[in-house]
């Protein structure tokens, strides 16, 4: 990645031009950068940001120049100015900073749909969340606790274990040195879990399947350690298991679903009921370092670029 000077983009019909104040750095940005997800080169990375509306394109209503807004899902946010469709914009509540808004939108809505819809967590259930000190991990842990679950997490270091406990995890496994599948067996008296939230992929997938009880669900929502190799569906016969590979865009399919999910997340943060940890903020020029740190397991919580 290189920083280059480009003309300020012009908002098209239905779009707004935003002066970006903070942009989220997400794992998906690294997948696009490395070519795991196809993208035509060159492109401006980033798909999540918060800032101030600088200009309106044709046909935009309900927003004005100067409004504080955040959005997710349109590429080009590692930049001083970016265009976004008005249909994706959310107004940032009073009292919430640009950093908080850019930190919570994508990962907060992801944790929301995983805990409320992919598997609607019920009070008293025990659930497993991998990478518990990560951006999604810390938020998902807090939401699972709000819903009354007993939460097991995995992390790679003691420092991350402390953070995960701080978010509410009841039991944290250092999966770099201990078997999380064995620990799950112990914690559930051999019964297994109704759901495993797995964002790590390649290195955890097999044992995640082993953690499920009959009819349990593996929500494989990421691949931070690399993609899972192809598998034969016959494997799911070991307990009539379910496997899903969910993605945020399918859980914000309509404007009302987007507003409901983002509204919950923004509301909880504004009321202090959900804590957003910004683990690291980088300058735009240091975006490459932000990617190295995210991919190198050096980060915790949210990673931001601030402008
Ligand atoms: P995280 O902050 O969770 O960072 C990734 C973490 O994964 C690391 O900190 C590390 O935690 C863990 N990890 C385990 N093995 C590796 C490895 N070999 N290389 C790198 N990291 C590893 O990132 P995000 O919260 O931004 O995203 C988490 C995952 O969720 C990503 O895979 C992302 O693609 C996915 N995602 C999916 C969405 C969806 O809708 N499907 C939406 C948002 C994110 P530790 O050191 O503790 O092991």
């Amino acid at each position: 990645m290189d920083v280059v000077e480009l003309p300020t983009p012009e908002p098209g019909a239905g779009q707004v031009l935003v002066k970006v104040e903070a942009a989220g750095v997400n794992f998906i940005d690294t997948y696009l950068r490395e070519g795991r997800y196809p993208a035509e080169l060159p492109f401006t990375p980033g798909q999540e940001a918060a800032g101030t509306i600088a200009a309106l394109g044709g046909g935009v209503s309900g927003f004005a120049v100067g409004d504080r807004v955040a959005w997710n899902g349109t590429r080009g946010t590692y930049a001083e100015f970016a265009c976004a469709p008005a249909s994706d914009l959310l107004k940032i509540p009073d009292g919430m900073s640009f950093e908080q808004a850019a930190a919570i939108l994508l990962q907060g809505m992801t944790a929301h749909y995983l805990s409320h819809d992919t598997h609607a967590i019920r009070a008293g259930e025990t659930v497993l969340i991998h990478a518990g000190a990560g951006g999604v991990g810390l938020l998902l842990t807090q939401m699972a606790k709000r819903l009354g679950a007993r939460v097991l997490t995995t992390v790679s270091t003691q420092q991350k274990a402390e953070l995960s406990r701080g978010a509410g995890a009841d039991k944290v496994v250092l999966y770099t040195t201990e078997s999380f599948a064995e620990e799950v067996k112990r914690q559930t008296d051999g019964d297994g879990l109704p759901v495993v939230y797995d964002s790590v992929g390649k290195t955890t997938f097999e044992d995640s399947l082993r953690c499920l009880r009959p009819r349990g669900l593996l929500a494989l929502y990421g691949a931070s350690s690399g993609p899972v190799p192809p598998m034969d569906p016959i494997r799911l016969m070991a307990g009539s298991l379910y496997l899903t590979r969910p993605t945020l865009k399918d859980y914000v399919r309509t404007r009302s679903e987007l507003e409901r999910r983002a509204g919950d997340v923004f509301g909880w943060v504004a009321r202090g009921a959900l804590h957003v940890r910004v683990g690291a903020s980088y300058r735009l020029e240091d975006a490459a370092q932000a990617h190295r740190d995210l991919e190198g397991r050096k980060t915790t919580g949210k990673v931001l670029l601030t402008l």
Side-chain angles (χ1 to χ4, degrees):
M1 279 189 290
D2 277 323
V3 180
V4 294
E5 200 60 50
L6 294 173
T8 302
E10 297 266 331
Q15 292 187 331
V16 300
L17 175 70
V18 180
K19 161 82 183 71
V20 176
E21 300 291 346
V25 176
N26 292 295
F27 236 94
I28 192 169
D29 306 343
T30 71
Y31 302 154
L32 278 153
R33 193 211 68 234
E34 69 183 15
R36 209 192 294 182
Y37 291 175
E40 229 172 84
L41 295 168
F43 66 87
T44 305
Q47 61 163 57
E48 178 187 40
T52 312
I53 295 184
L56 302 177
V60 173
S61 59
F63 292 96
V65 170
D67 280 352
R68 288 162 19 95
V69 291
W71 74 100
N72 168 58
T74 300
R75 207 177 307 153
T77 56
Y78 289 11
E80 293 167 308
F81 287 91
C83 286
S87 56
D88 288 349
L89 287 186
L90 296 150
K91 288 191 181 156
I92 302 174
D94 291 342
M96 182 179 284
S97 66
F98 291 117
E99 286 78 14
Q100 280 178 312
I104 196 68
L105 196 57
L106 187 154
Q107 293 177 344
M109 290 198 296
T110 300
H112 189 285
Y113 84 72
L114 288 170
S115 55
H116 290 73
D117 295 288
T118 303
H119 172 85
I121 294 175
R122 285 194 294 265
E125 284 184 334
T126 303
V127 306
L128 174 63
I129 298 170
H130 285 306
V136 178
L138 287 171
L139 299 168
L140 184 53
T141 300
Q142 293 176 72
M143 288 184 202
K145 289 306 293 177
R146 276 175 65 91
L147 292 164
R150 185 160 160 264
V151 178
L152 317 178
T153 64
T154 57
V155 297
S156 66
T157 66
Q158 285 294 354
Q159 188 237 349
K160 290 186 176 187
E162 281 309 307
L163 287 173
S164 180
R165 276 186 213 106
D170 297 284
K171 172 77 195 169
V172 183
V173 181
L174 263 77
Y175 57 178
T176 35
T177 56
E178 302 165 64
S179 160
F180 67 84
E182 289 305 315
E183 188 57 36
V184 164
K185 224 189 252 174
R186 272 194 291 278
Q187 294 285 330
T188 62
D189 294 329
D191 282 351
L193 302 167
V195 64
V196 174
Y197 294 108
D198 190 342
S199 62
V200 173
K202 190 174 170 182
T203 58
T204 47
F205 181 81
E206 288 295 329
D207 276 352
S208 292
L209 272 182
R210 285 176 53 212
C211 288
L212 294 171
R213 72 180 184 203
R215 306 207 305 258
L217 170 71
L218 177 49
L220 179 72
Y221 70 96
S224 304
S225 69
V228 175
M231 65 168 258
D232 187 333
I234 198 84
R235 296 278 318 284
L236 302 176
M237 239 175 94
S240 305
L241 306 174
Y242 293 87
L243 169 66
T244 182
R245 178 57 177 88
T247 183
L248 176 58
K249 72 173 171 33
D250 295 322
Y251 286 87
V252 286
R253 294 189 66 214
T254 60
R255 178 75 197 175
S256 70
E257 192 173 28
L258 172 69
E259 284 180 0
R260 179 176 63 78
R261 236 179 257 296
D264 276 356
V265 171
F266 278 174
W268 294 334
V269 172
R271 288 203 307 278
L274 181 67
H275 175 68
V276 196
R277 176 186 165 84
V278 176
S281 289
Y282 299 78
R283 291 154 51 89
L284 189 58
E285 306 82 287
D286 298 324
Q289 190 58 42
H291 276 211
R292 273 183 221 113
D293 290 348
L294 183 62
E295 292 172 291
R297 304 171 86 159
K298 293 202 174 78
T299 65
T300 56
K302 184 68 187 184
V303 180
L304 287 181
L305 302 179
T306 44
L307 287 103

